[in-house]
Amino acid sequence: MHPSRWGDPARAAALPDTARGLIEMVFGLDERPALAEVSVPPPAIDTKVLDELAATLGAEHVLTDDATRRLRTRGKSTPDLLRQRAGDLTDAPDAVVRPGSHDDVMAVLAWAVAHHVAVVPFGGGTCVTGGLAARRDGFAGLVSLDLVRLKRLLDVDHTSMTATLEPGLRGPEAEALLAAEGLTLGHFPQSFEYASIGGFAATRSSGQSSAGYGRFDALVVGLRVATPSGEVSLGSAPANAAGPDLRQLFLGSEGAFGVITAVTVRVRRLPAEKVYEGWRWPSFVDGAAAMRTLAQAGLLPTVIRLSDEAETAINLARPEEIGQSEIGGQSAGGCLMITGFEGEPDAVSARRAAVTAVLSGLGGQSLGEEPGASWVKGRFDAPYLRDSLLDVGVLVETLETATFWSGLETLYAGVRSALEASLGDGAMVLCHISHVYETGCSLYFTVAQKAAADPLSQWLDAKAAACDAITEAGATITHHHAVGTDHKPWLSAEIGDVGVSVLRAVKADLDPTGVLNPGVLVP
Amino acid sequence: MHPSRWGDPARAAALPDTARGLIEMVFGLDERPALAEVSVPPPAIDTKVLDELAATLGAEHVLTDDATRRLRTRGKSTPDLLRQRAGDLTDAPDAVVRPGSHDDVMAVLAWAVAHHVAVVPFGGGTCVTGGLAARRDGFAGLVSLDLVRLKRLLDVDHTSMTATLEPGLRGPEAEALLAAEGLTLGHFPQSFEYASIGGFAATRSSGQSSAGYGRFDALVVGLRVATPSGEVSLGSAPANAAGPDLRQLFLGSEGAFGVITAVTVRVRRLPAEKVYEGWRWPSFVDGAAAMRTLAQAGLLPTVIRLSDEAETAINLARPEEIGQSEIGGQSAGGCLMITGFEGEPDAVSARRAAVTAVLSGLGGQSLGEEPGASWVKGRFDAPYLRDSLLDVGVLVETLETATFWSGLETLYAGVRSALEASLGDGAMVLCHISHVYETGCSLYFTVAQKAAADPLSQWLDAKAAACDAITEAGATITHHHAVGTDHKPWLSAEIGDVGVSVLRAVKADLDPTGVLNPGVLVP
């Protein structure tokens, strides 16, 4: 991946003309040339100390070159990209170390404790909450612990329908290994093409098919974790009552409690059939009520998402057609819902028929399969679009939250208002419901505004306003992107001072010298 | 409840003649007269110290009389009953205190910390793993914190389909309050009639309808907990990624981390229709495979359970007909499966038809609704039967575990062998699959043997042998009955020394002076 852009350069197409025209009309075009590249600072760790690690891992797995360190600097939030574009490489690791096994990871941790070096576990590098920007002051240095060599499918159990995966596997790599066994994990977040299995677990990721396959934390039945205090191996049964569920303490631990070295997940058979379709609703409230009805009737499709009026109008669900005010050949308006069904043909037909009956009965208008196919085509492309917009001086970023159904309207209005007030006239605030449960759902906001002279402060102010509104509404500061460093100021509002104290106690027990991702997650 | 028996004395009928005949034939009858009642020891806590608490709660809520303390002495495992029957009341609390609110609970904890008094939270008193037998040495005394006054339905949210319940509500009380709102929790463990909401949460209970409604821990979306270090309030959304899920740290915390003072749970609409039926399978292996097929196809009924050949033969699923070798008017043999469907009539019909097609296709033989109705009738009665058997000198107890599907046969054989070897010739070892997941299931064993001169040691030896076999098989020491004191010796085998260390760290943070249920859960 490029250090200041998303994904594969070959896929980073220029803005389509329709989009370019729309953007010029709304925001004006303000092409911003890339800065001359700045070098990463020289490594702060003593060469002899690194040599010690090289003796264990092999010299080829302890890297200090500019390009490698640059690529392990922060993640892929808009602030991360803006800092890179501005030549700010202050968070670059001193070295990138690449353990090849669980035992290697244990050795790196022992080395880090011995020399008081901070360790930042690195999977796909797609974090959007500052989880890769650990604090380095007080430490002898900081290394990126790159899990890229831990890419094996360790075990497949076709009877129990579980698979054990190493953390460095990226989404498509894991799916390819499972597909060879006729299986799928069914976890497809927008970052799927680059994010890793370890990252999914460490951040409680949730994918676009979560209604059908479940959130990643719900897929995990077992974990192996390397910590400075020793190894933890959990997962004696699908569920148990042997005290608190400690798996749920490592899921979402963001590299601050340990390094996840293996994850055992529930898998499903590869779906024989997949079909996606579109529905139009008169309003966001109507569409949301329909989602709630489906969830509470136990009738959720595999995929379900609902754009609000603004997002539907801008057609963000289909980046290649932004600015075209038609959906499926019909004039736009209202709110677009995408539903998807995956599985055995009979099950797909039965589920689809039941969902269709409910949605039609509630006043939904079927738009057929075209909008569904279009959504599938562009489902992983939004981050490329962000780069193109940043290039022409448009600030774009996303944030998400979740609440119970009864709090939905208040949360939606509160976060919208906060973003609009902070970003000022002309800001676009778009939203969709991205994940649905019996008791509530998540809201995923996308904002765009003409970039100010200091776009970083512009966004950080807007984000703070949104986080305050989320906290005010009693909702979660993050439904599926973890705490990192960005959400930390709001964590105690969500879990309380006693909750924070528990996190500190667990951290102190597992990582007594605090070398693991310092400053991330734990306030 | 009677201190040494289960439930309502009026329902504790004598053994049916058929059962009595069978038992005489198999074990012989050895009527054991009840011992003359022994008094509980005098309270060890200074009266002035108790008066201090009485000033806060009211004198009527700080009780030291014999009957009240006797009823709060231990739980309802067979060892608990045997100790009571033998006149052993050494675990009696010095006093029973009854807070009326969350603030009262906080006040009791502050008082306990100030005077170094051990506190045992008490809900329904149905614990079967020694969770009410806290260690008292090193403390100035021990009180039972009886949650009997915390019985309110604090909130119902019909939009989000959640309800907030106080911990002292027993199963039927909670269901009655919810039924008035047209709702149900759907949590029906065998202990349902006496066990409490707080206990369900604190022990990760699982009910007989878990396939349809979910385990209790899966129903919980929010918790309020009183701890010596302050209050914790969790539950910002159905799911979140704001770090580790701390709800899962308090679920299963067995009163050792805090006192749960409110639980917000997912609720469902009261089912308009309920139907239960029986199926016969040629073997336990065949029936288990059918369960696995249903679970992995997403086609689970609301209730599903499968007795092995031995349990089917003894007909334990229908206590009132024990010893009658017929099921539904047909000669017995093979393995009895019970399936149940609850919900809206259309949904019940559709689900039932789909399940029937799968089970028939796999070689199951439908036995119609009669075995289902019979199971429903007796579903909460087994504990009464245990009392009757103990009365005639037959030792009866149960234990349970869970594993992944691929480990099922090894676990089943291992635990059976261990129990048979320990209990000797003539022991009956019966088993059923009680809870089913996509990736595995739980096994629930019932054993009976002629009581030895020292039935307590007889059972503890057998239980230890079974726990060793469970650990050997890599399964969980408990699927739904918590750790208590009885399972503690096997906990580190399941969660590792590092896992145990984390529990200790959390305990030390929340309960620095260790007054909460000392000796329970945390090794």
Side-chain angles (χ1 to χ4, degrees):
Chain A
M1 220 188 290
H2 189 280
S4 64
R5 303 183 76 87
W6 181 261
D8 175 3
R11 281 173 55 194
L15 282 178
D17 283 348
T18 48
R20 201 174 165 87
L22 181 77
I23 290 154
E24 182 161 23
M25 193 174 71
V26 177
F27 301 114
L29 292 180
D30 177 17
E31 311 272 358
R32 302 200 171 187
L35 287 178
E37 282 213 346
V38 179
S39 295
V40 296
I45 304 181
D46 194 278
T47 310
K48 279 187 199 149
V49 171
L50 284 177
D51 285 350
E52 215 177 283
L53 194 57
T56 307
L57 300 185
E60 70 277 28
H61 298 307
V62 180
L63 303 167
T64 55
D65 64 282
D66 188 288
T68 303
R69 290 169 57 212
R70 182 185 299 271
L71 273 166
R72 304 297 177 282
T73 305
R74 308 192 192 97
K76 292 294 173 188
S77 68
T78 295
D80 289 341
L81 302 186
L82 290 170
R83 288 188 184 103
Q84 284 266 7
R85 283 171 181 240
D88 173 0
L89 294 168
T90 49
D91 287 320
D94 294 308
V96 176
V97 306
R98 306 200 298 208
S101 65
H102 171 87
D103 290 347
D104 273 1
V105 174
M106 291 295 283
V108 172
L109 296 185
W111 169 88
V113 169
H115 299 287
H116 204 53
V117 172
V119 176
V120 182
F122 188 96
T126 60
C127 181
V128 293
T129 54
L132 300 171
R135 184 170 53 75
R136 58 183 307 148
D137 43 295
F139 292 92
L142 181 150
V143 297
S144 175
L145 188 156
D146 191 340
L147 294 156
V148 67
R149 292 171 64 207
L150 274 71
K151 281 189 187 284
R152 287 174 299 170
L153 171 59
L154 296 173
D155 183 54
V156 178
D157 178 342
H158 285 275
T159 304
S160 307
M161 290 296 276
T162 62
T164 302
L165 300 161
E166 284 194 319
L169 286 165
R170 296 190 172 200
E173 293 168 338
E175 284 294 339
L177 289 169
L178 291 172
E181 303 278 340
L183 303 171
T184 180
L185 191 48
H187 183 69
F188 302 107
Q190 194 174 67
S191 59
F192 168 74
E193 293 172 303
Y194 293 92
S196 68
I197 293 293
F200 294 150
T203 64
R204 294 184 170 271
S205 173
S206 192
Q208 295 166 349
S209 310
S210 69
Y213 293 97
R215 296 166 58 84
F216 196 82
D217 51 20
L219 303 182
V220 174
V221 295
L223 285 168
R224 189 180 190 195
V225 188
T227 87
S229 296
E231 172 187 345
V232 191
S233 199
L234 299 166
S236 55
N240 70 63
D245 189 347
L246 296 181
R247 293 176 293 200
Q248 301 293 331
L249 205 54
F250 290 100
L251 292 166
S253 63
E254 304 184 35
F257 292 173
V259 180
I260 296 168
T261 57
V263 184
T264 302
V265 286
R266 183 183 81 198
V267 291
R268 300 260 168 82
R269 272 176 277 281
L270 271 175
E273 190 167 319
K274 301 183 186 186
V275 56
Y276 309 90
E277 54 194 351
W279 290 81
R280 189 202 312 279
W281 295 89
S283 72
F284 194 48
V285 169
D286 293 325
M291 286 174 134
R292 179 166 69 83
T293 300
L294 287 177
Q296 293 176 351
L299 281 179
L300 283 176
T302 311
V303 171
I304 188 161
R305 47 190 286 132
L306 174 74
S307 295
D308 70 356
E309 289 84 352
E311 186 171 295
T312 301
I314 207 74
N315 208 353
L316 193 74
R318 322 201 297 171
E320 83 285 7
E321 292 172 36
I322 279 198
Q324 295 176 24
S325 62
E326 290 197 348
I327 301 174
Q330 300 173 57
S331 71
C335 289
L336 175 65
M337 175 188 281
I338 300 292
T339 56
F341 302 86
E342 302 182 4
E344 292 303 303
D346 287 356
V348 164
S349 299
R351 177 55 56 116
R352 191 181 179 188
V355 169
T356 298
V358 171
L359 297 185
S360 298
L362 292 170
Q365 177 194 352
S366 172
L367 301 173
E369 296 185 21
E370 196 279 329
S374 177
W375 171 77
V376 168
K377 185 160 167 282
R379 66 192 292 193
F380 304 128
D381 289 348
Y384 290 108
L385 180 64
R386 176 178 58 168
D387 288 328
S388 304
L389 290 166
L390 289 172
D391 289 344
V392 297
V394 179
L395 176 76
V396 185
E397 182 56 307
T398 63
L399 61 84
E400 43 77 22
T401 175
T403 190
F404 296 99
W405 288 113
S406 58
L408 180 61
E409 288 181 52
T410 305
L411 178 65
Y412 174 69
V415 176
R416 266 190 75 141
S417 301
L419 288 168
E420 286 170 351
S422 177
L423 290 165
D425 283 351
M428 263 185 200
V429 178
L430 320 175
C431 184
H432 66 264
I433 293 178
S434 56
H435 303 272
V436 174
Y437 304 89
E438 284 183 64
T439 58
C441 67
S442 74
L443 289 175
Y444 189 101
F445 290 90
T446 302
V447 305
Q449 173 61 302
K450 183 175 171 61
D454 179 0
L456 183 57
S457 297
Q458 182 188 18
W459 170 248
L460 294 181
D461 288 349
K463 168 85 174 178
C467 290
D468 288 344
I470 287 168
T471 298
E472 176 77 17
T476 182
I477 198 67
T478 176
H479 170 264
H480 59 273
H481 283 122
V483 175
T485 50
D486 296 357
H487 290 143
K488 221 171 45 166
W490 291 272
L491 186 61
S492 73
E494 181 156 348
I495 64 171
D497 293 342
V498 176
V500 169
S501 176
V502 168
L503 293 184
R504 286 189 183 131
V506 173
K507 166 100 175 158
D509 187 64
L510 294 170
D511 178 24
T513 65
V515 295
L516 279 171
N517 230 359
V520 170
L521 172 62
V522 185
Chain B
M1 219 187 290
H2 188 281
S4 64
R5 305 183 75 87
W6 181 261
D8 175 4
R11 280 174 56 196
L15 280 179
D17 282 348
T18 47
R20 202 174 162 86
L22 181 74
I23 289 153
E24 184 162 20
M25 193 174 71
V26 177
F27 300 115
L29 294 181
D30 177 16
E31 311 272 357
R32 303 200 171 188
L35 287 180
E37 281 213 349
V38 178
S39 295
V40 296
I45 305 181
D46 194 278
T47 310
K48 281 187 197 148
V49 171
L50 285 177
D51 286 349
E52 215 177 283
L53 194 58
T56 309
L57 300 185
E60 70 277 28
H61 298 306
V62 179
L63 304 166
T64 54
D65 65 280
D66 187 287
T68 304
R69 291 167 58 211
R70 181 186 300 272
L71 273 166
R72 304 298 176 282
T73 305
R74 308 191 193 97
K76 291 295 174 189
S77 68
T78 295
D80 289 342
L81 302 188
L82 290 171
R83 288 187 185 104
Q84 285 265 10
R85 285 172 179 238
D88 174 0
L89 294 168
T90 50
D91 287 319
D94 294 307
V96 176
V97 306
R98 306 199 298 207
S101 66
H102 171 86
D103 290 347
D104 273 0
V105 174
M106 291 295 283
V108 172
L109 297 185
W111 169 87
V113 168
H115 298 287
H116 204 53
V117 172
V119 176
V120 181
F122 188 96
T126 60
C127 181
V128 293
T129 55
L132 299 171
R135 185 170 51 76
R136 57 185 306 148
D137 43 295
F139 292 92
L142 182 149
V143 298
S144 176
L145 190 156
D146 191 342
L147 294 155
V148 67
R149 293 171 64 207
L150 274 71
K151 280 188 187 286
R152 288 173 300 170
L153 172 59
L154 296 173
D155 184 55
V156 177
D157 179 343
H158 285 275
T159 304
S160 308
M161 291 295 276
T162 61
T164 302
L165 301 161
E166 285 194 320
L169 286 165
R170 296 190 174 202
E173 294 168 338
E175 284 294 337
L177 289 169
L178 292 171
E181 302 277 341
L183 303 171
T184 180
L185 190 49
H187 183 69
F188 301 106
Q190 194 174 67
S191 60
F192 168 74
E193 294 173 304
Y194 293 91
S196 69
I197 293 293
F200 294 151
T203 63
R204 293 185 172 269
S205 172
S206 193
Q208 294 166 350
S209 310
S210 69
Y213 293 96
R215 295 167 58 84
F216 196 82
D217 51 19
L219 304 182
V220 174
V221 296
L223 285 169
R224 189 180 190 195
V225 187
T227 86
S229 296
E231 172 187 342
V232 192
S233 199
L234 298 166
S236 54
N240 70 64
D245 189 346
L246 297 181
R247 294 175 291 201
Q248 301 294 330
L249 205 53
F250 289 100
L251 292 166
S253 64
E254 304 183 34
F257 292 173
V259 180
I260 296 167
T261 58
V263 184
T264 302
V265 285
R266 184 182 80 199
V267 291
R268 300 262 169 82
R269 272 177 276 280
L270 271 175
E273 188 167 320
K274 300 183 186 187
V275 55
Y276 308 91
E277 54 195 351
W279 290 81
R280 189 204 312 279
W281 295 90
S283 71
F284 194 50
V285 169
D286 292 326
M291 287 175 133
R292 179 166 71 84
T293 300
L294 288 177
Q296 294 177 350
L299 282 178
L300 284 176
T302 311
V303 171
I304 188 162
R305 48 190 287 133
L306 174 73
S307 296
D308 70 356
E309 289 84 352
E311 187 171 295
T312 301
I314 208 74
N315 208 355
L316 193 75
R318 321 201 296 171
E320 83 285 9
E321 293 172 35
I322 279 199
Q324 294 176 25
S325 61
E326 288 196 351
I327 302 173
Q330 300 173 56
S331 70
C335 289
L336 175 66
M337 175 188 281
I338 300 292
T339 57
F341 303 85
E342 302 181 5
E344 293 302 305
D346 286 355
V348 164
S349 299
R351 177 56 56 115
R352 190 180 179 189
V355 169
T356 298
V358 171
L359 297 185
S360 298
L362 292 170
Q365 178 195 351
S366 171
L367 302 174
E369 296 184 20
E370 196 278 331
S374 176
W375 172 78
V376 168
K377 185 160 165 282
R379 67 193 289 193
F380 303 129
D381 290 348
Y384 290 107
L385 179 64
R386 177 178 57 168
D387 289 328
S388 305
L389 290 167
L390 289 173
D391 289 343
V392 296
V394 178
L395 175 76
V396 185
E397 182 56 306
T398 63
L399 61 85
E400 44 76 23
T401 176
T403 190
F404 296 100
W405 289 114
S406 58
L408 179 62
E409 288 181 54
T410 304
L411 178 64
Y412 174 69
V415 176
R416 266 191 73 143
S417 300
L419 287 168
E420 287 171 350
S422 178
L423 290 167
D425 283 350
M428 264 186 200
V429 178
L430 320 175
C431 184
H432 65 265
I433 294 177
S434 56
H435 304 271
V436 174
Y437 304 88
E438 283 183 64
T439 57
C441 66
S442 74
L443 289 176
Y444 190 101
F445 289 89
T446 302
V447 305
Q449 174 62 302
K450 182 175 174 56
D454 178 0
L456 183 57
S457 297
Q458 181 189 17
W459 170 248
L460 294 180
D461 289 349
K463 169 85 173 177
C467 289
D468 288 344
I470 286 168
T471 298
E472 174 78 16
T476 181
I477 199 68
T478 175
H479 170 264
H480 58 274
H481 283 122
V483 175
T485 49
D486 296 355
H487 290 144
K488 222 170 46 165
W490 291 272
L491 187 61
S492 74
E494 181 155 350
I495 65 172
D497 292 342
V498 176
V500 168
S501 176
V502 167
L503 293 184
R504 287 190 183 131
V506 173
K507 167 97 177 162
D509 187 63
L510 295 170
D511 178 25
T513 64
V515 295
L516 279 170
N517 228 359
V520 170
L521 172 62
V522 184

